[in-house]
Amino acid sequence: MRFGRIATPEGMTFCVIEGDGEQAIAKAINGHPFADPEYTGKEYPLSDVKLLAPMLPSKIVAIGRNYADHVAEVFKKSAESLPPTLFLKPPTAVVGPGAAIKIPEFATKVEFEGELALVIGRPCKNVKADDWRSVVRGYTIINDVSSRDLQFADGQWARAKGIDTFAPLGPWIETDLDAIDVTNLPIKAHLTHDGVTETKQDSNSNQMIMNLGEIIEFITASMTLLPGDIICTGSPAGTAPMSPGDYIEIEIPGIGRLGNPVEAA
Amino acid sequence: MRFGRIATPEGMTFCVIEGDGEQAIAKAINGHPFADPEYTGKEYPLSDVKLLAPMLPSKIVAIGRNYADHVAEVFKKSAESLPPTLFLKPPTAVVGPGAAIKIPEFATKVEFEGELALVIGRPCKNVKADDWRSVVRGYTIINDVSSRDLQFADGQWARAKGIDTFAPLGPWIETDLDAIDVTNLPIKAHLTHDGVTETKQDSNSNQMIMNLGEIIEFITASMTLLPGDIICTGSPAGTAPMSPGDYIEIEIPGIGRLGNPVEAA
């Protein structure tokens, strides 16, 4: 089932999205997408409403350096010498599908990072790796936008990855965990620059160093996770700079496509 | 005016705290402490209720390496070579006055860091340094508890400083910005170990590298701040390890004392 969040003439609401392409329908629900949906009866063609980020998380916990080829391209080192690490992105960085990524003047090398994201479904702490599915409500996509200049200048990544609009999220939450083989999931990023689209990232979740169970166990050994919290599972290689006028689309088959234009702030 | 948050037999509420010591009274208010208080008429001796963290922030933005002497003791480098940097602590790390700091087994060198904290009063972005007071609701104290082993092993500080209970906050929010000279404010940490209390941190906000205006301008150039967000302004030298059975108290005259026992998780 696909849960989304939409702006309609009557206000913002969570919804269930059925159908694809021009036939897609958003069926409004009461409350939050953490339980079986209770439909309000209101339905909209998806093309008539604005799709928002599917969740406003209380926190975004991210695993960095979780793909060896990305460690090599960004840090010029082996994954053995630089193992996965944990960082946070602020909730204020979240924007939805189609919203502009806005690059401030002082960020001079801003790159996309297409990633599989997990949406937490219940409060949890000290989750064992084998039990990770019991705390995950569904999958979505995040673009972990990163300003490489600030990332290396600051040492800490919070600013480089925490600028407003640097966490495009969506397009929705796919809750059918059985329908998607997360151990073998293509992850792609298509960058359109000067009217030409190139596929820059073309990898697979089978390249992850820590798998989803290990990630959830690692994080929850330290931090309580709350419903709606977002876990970013790391970016594969192929990240590249973006500039105002570009359009970046992250694609994960079975989940969807998350596209955002790039503008100057 | 001092705003706090308390647990009473009737539930949790924000309050105004008047008087000191055993005479202190908590006067319950409607709503949040971002405007003039609207009193409910309920009053409690402060000693009869449980003081909670005065705010549950949407984010905690911290300035690291903002005191040269602390940079020297932790990083063994000069502040010129390691300038201030920005990091995030997760909201789930917050606990209130008197709540235990719980050290997990895998954190083997956990230290206190006493810091002046700012509570943001209104949504803001791109605030100029001179205007910082217009976006700050008040002052409080944070203990930026940090596991030095994880801090250096991970490179990123999110885990070392983000473990549940690693952000004691309080005891309340002092909103009278004119009553406190934040350019010359003593900051102390008193550690009780084996029944002996030693003053480990004994510094002053006049040792900050970035002042409060520069901090607010720096952060809001990148991130929108929301009401209730907490800004940690950095720790002076004197941080030291804590172990289960210890009691750590951060003292900032004019604001108050934030004391927490230390336990094994």
Side-chain angles (χ1 to χ4, degrees):
Chain A
M1 187 170 281
R2 288 176 168 171
F3 285 94
R5 198 166 60 97
I6 53 174
T8 77
E10 292 87 37
M12 288 190 289
T13 180
F14 285 103
C15 65
V16 170
I17 294 157
E18 294 180 356
D20 287 302
E22 298 199 354
Q23 273 68 54
I25 295 288
K27 302 168 78 170
I29 63 171
N30 286 319
H32 292 273
F34 299 113
D36 290 338
E38 181 188 301
Y39 295 98
T40 66
K42 292 241 182 201
E43 298 187 7
Y44 310 87
L46 190 57
S47 54
D48 284 1
V49 292
K50 185 176 169 61
L51 206 50
L52 306 170
M55 189 53 61
L56 294 177
S58 81
K59 62 181 172 292
I60 303 171
V61 188
I63 298 294
R65 307 189 301 227
N66 201 29
Y67 287 79
D69 54 0
H70 179 61
V71 176
E73 75 179 352
V74 171
F75 301 99
K76 318 298 181 200
K77 293 203 176 173
S78 73
E80 288 73 31
S81 66
L82 273 182
T85 193
L86 192 154
F87 64 95
L88 298 163
K89 287 173 78 91
T92 33
V94 170
V95 291
I101 296 164
K102 294 188 179 177
I103 301 182
E105 266 185 20
F106 57 84
T108 58
K109 195 184 176 200
V110 175
E111 301 196 344
F112 55 85
E113 293 190 1
E115 304 189 13
L116 172 67
L118 310 180
V119 183
I120 296 299
R122 64 174 179 81
C124 57
K125 183 84 191 284
N126 293 321
V127 179
K128 292 294 163 205
D130 284 347
D131 299 331
W132 71 269
R133 293 163 66 98
S134 70
V135 304
V136 169
R137 180 57 176 156
Y139 304 122
T140 189
I141 301 170
I142 195 160
N143 186 344
D144 175 21
V145 178
S146 306
S147 189
R148 297 275 177 248
D149 51 347
L150 305 180
Q151 186 174 358
F152 286 103
D154 290 1
Q156 298 303 303
W157 302 347
R159 186 166 70 122
K161 292 170 173 278
I163 293 170
D164 285 1
T165 76
F166 276 27
L169 188 74
W172 40 61
I173 303 164
E174 174 57 63
T175 60
D176 189 352
L177 303 189
D178 293 326
I180 293 171
D181 179 3
V182 286
T183 67
N184 183 18
L185 191 60
I187 298 174
K188 300 182 187 191
H190 313 287
L191 180 68
T192 304
H193 178 76
D194 278 348
V196 179
T197 301
E198 280 187 85
T199 298
K200 295 283 194 177
Q201 290 186 294
D202 191 356
S203 187
N204 191 295
S205 66
N206 63 19
Q207 297 299 304
M208 285 184 187
I209 296 168
M210 293 179 79
N211 65 31
L212 301 190
E214 292 166 334
I215 290 170
I216 293 286
E217 180 168 322
F218 179 64
I219 295 171
T220 63
S222 295
M223 297 179 190
T224 296
L225 294 176
L226 299 177
D229 282 357
I230 299 293
I231 310 299
C232 312
T233 62
S235 172
T239 67
M242 304 183 290
S243 46
D246 290 356
Y247 186 85
I248 179 68
E249 189 174 59
I250 314 299
E251 177 190 7
I252 301 184
I255 302 177
R257 287 167 170 260
L258 171 67
N260 298 83
V262 181
E263 296 179 0
Chain B
M1 187 170 281
R2 288 175 168 173
F3 285 95
R5 199 166 59 98
I6 52 174
T8 76
E10 293 87 35
M12 289 190 289
T13 180
F14 285 102
C15 64
V16 170
I17 295 158
E18 293 180 357
D20 286 303
E22 298 198 353
Q23 272 68 53
I25 295 287
K27 303 168 77 169
I29 63 170
N30 286 317
H32 292 273
F34 299 112
D36 290 338
E38 182 187 301
Y39 295 99
T40 66
K42 294 241 184 201
E43 297 186 7
Y44 310 87
L46 190 57
S47 53
D48 285 0
V49 293
K50 185 178 169 60
L51 207 49
L52 306 170
M55 189 52 63
L56 294 176
S58 81
K59 62 180 173 293
I60 303 171
V61 188
I63 297 294
R65 305 189 303 228
N66 201 30
Y67 287 79
D69 54 1
H70 179 62
V71 175
E73 75 179 353
V74 172
F75 302 99
K76 319 297 180 201
K77 293 202 177 175
S78 72
E80 288 72 32
S81 66
L82 274 182
T85 192
L86 192 154
F87 65 94
L88 298 164
K89 286 173 81 90
T92 34
V94 171
V95 291
I101 297 165
K102 295 189 177 176
I103 300 183
E105 266 185 19
F106 57 85
T108 58
K109 195 185 177 200
V110 175
E111 301 196 344
F112 56 85
E113 293 190 1
E115 304 189 13
L116 171 67
L118 310 180
V119 183
I120 297 299
R122 63 174 181 82
C124 57
K125 183 85 192 282
N126 292 322
V127 179
K128 291 295 163 205
D130 284 347
D131 299 331
W132 71 270
R133 293 163 66 98
S134 70
V135 305
V136 169
R137 181 57 175 155
Y139 304 122
T140 187
I141 301 171
I142 195 161
N143 185 344
D144 174 22
V145 179
S146 306
S147 189
R148 297 275 177 246
D149 51 347
L150 306 179
Q151 186 175 358
F152 286 103
D154 291 2
Q156 297 304 303
W157 303 346
R159 187 166 68 122
K161 291 169 173 278
I163 294 170
D164 285 1
T165 75
F166 275 27
L169 188 73
W172 41 60
I173 303 164
E174 173 57 65
T175 60
D176 188 353
L177 303 189
D178 293 326
I180 294 171
D181 179 3
V182 286
T183 66
N184 183 19
L185 192 60
I187 298 174
K188 300 182 186 190
H190 313 286
L191 180 68
T192 304
H193 178 75
D194 278 348
V196 179
T197 301
E198 281 187 84
T199 297
K200 295 283 194 176
Q201 290 187 294
D202 190 357
S203 187
N204 191 295
S205 66
N206 64 19
Q207 298 298 304
M208 286 184 185
I209 296 169
M210 293 179 79
N211 65 32
L212 302 189
E214 291 166 336
I215 289 171
I216 293 286
E217 179 168 322
F218 180 63
I219 294 171
T220 64
S222 295
M223 299 180 189
T224 296
L225 294 175
L226 299 177
D229 282 356
I230 299 292
I231 310 300
C232 311
T233 61
S235 172
T239 67
M242 303 182 292
S243 46
D246 290 357
Y247 187 85
I248 178 68
E249 189 174 59
I250 314 298
E251 177 189 8
I252 301 184
I255 301 177
R257 287 167 169 259
L258 171 67
N260 297 84
V262 181
E263 297 179 0

